Amino acid sequence: PEDGAVSGAWGVYAFCLAEEWIEAHERRCPRTAALLRSIDGLYTAGFSLLGPRSRLPLHFGESQGVLRCHLALRVPPGCGLRVGLE
């Protein structure tokens, strides 16, 4: 296992962490960064990157006061996302 994944690889390409913007990532993805900067109150934003056959450990965010959204860009057949018991 790598990077905290139970199996496979899991990484994060962050744009903003605790309201601190990562300028190098903004320069590399300027349209995405501009869209994210247009969201009032944005605290943290980034892409999770999962390698083939990766499986993540059960984990929780830092706070229940954060709305976390997941938008899959590419999803091969047989993949899924479990939240709680669903």
Side-chain angles (χ1 to χ4, degrees):
E2 302 171 14
D3 305 324
V6 172
S7 64
W10 176 24
V12 175
Y13 189 86
F15 287 92
C16 177
L17 296 170
E19 298 180 325
E20 294 291 327
W21 289 86
I22 300 171
E23 292 180 19
H25 294 181
E26 286 189 90
R27 285 192 300 273
R28 187 166 185 197
C29 304
R31 291 176 19 185
T32 300
L35 175 66
L36 292 171
R37 278 196 175 267
S38 74
I39 301 170
D40 289 334
L42 185 73
Y43 186 76
T44 297
F47 296 123
S48 284
L49 309 166
L50 299 175
R53 294 173 296 284
S54 292
R55 196 171 167 87
L56 302 183
L58 176 64
H59 63 282
F60 302 92
E62 296 175 19
S63 166
Q64 291 185 12
V66 174
L67 174 62
R68 187 169 310 270
C69 300
H70 295 276
L71 170 64
L73 300 178
R74 291 189 209 161
V75 182
C79 292
L81 175 69
R82 185 180 75 195
V83 178
L85 298 176
E86 297 184 32

